[in-house]
Amino acid sequence: MSEIKEKFIKAVEALPYDLDKEILKKDTKDILQEVTQKYVDMYGTSDLSEDDQECIQSLIGKI
């Protein structure tokens, strides 16, 4: 498994709620934004490509 994939899984596990339950209540885009923000908070974006960094910034509303 790639390092980025492992980090993404850890970010999902670090969410303050059970994703399996929350996915029934929240909009998928909101959950994706929260997971992405958690990834950025935990690991930053320096290990990602420039395109991926722009995508993340756009997704979490920094562009």
Side-chain angles (χ1 to χ4, degrees):
M1 186 176 339
S2 77
E3 182 179 343
I4 292 173
K5 185 176 180 179
E6 288 179 34
K7 288 179 178 180
F8 190 79
I9 290 169
K10 288 179 183 178
V12 169
E13 293 172 343
L15 291 172
Y17 51 78
D18 181 347
L19 184 61
D20 291 330
K21 292 177 183 175
E22 203 66 23
I23 203 156
L24 300 173
K25 302 176 199 173
K26 284 188 173 182
D27 184 60
T28 304
K29 183 179 177 188
D30 292 337
I31 292 173
L32 182 57
Q33 287 173 323
E34 291 170 2
V35 170
T36 304
Q37 184 63 59
K38 180 60 79 173
Y39 180 96
V40 171
D41 293 346
M42 292 172 70
Y43 303 109
T45 60
S46 62
D47 61 338
L48 303 175
S49 71
E50 189 173 316
D51 287 341
D52 289 342
Q53 289 178 19
E54 287 180 24
C55 180
I56 282 176
Q57 290 172 350
S58 176
L59 179 64
I60 60 177
K62 293 189 176 180
I63 289 184

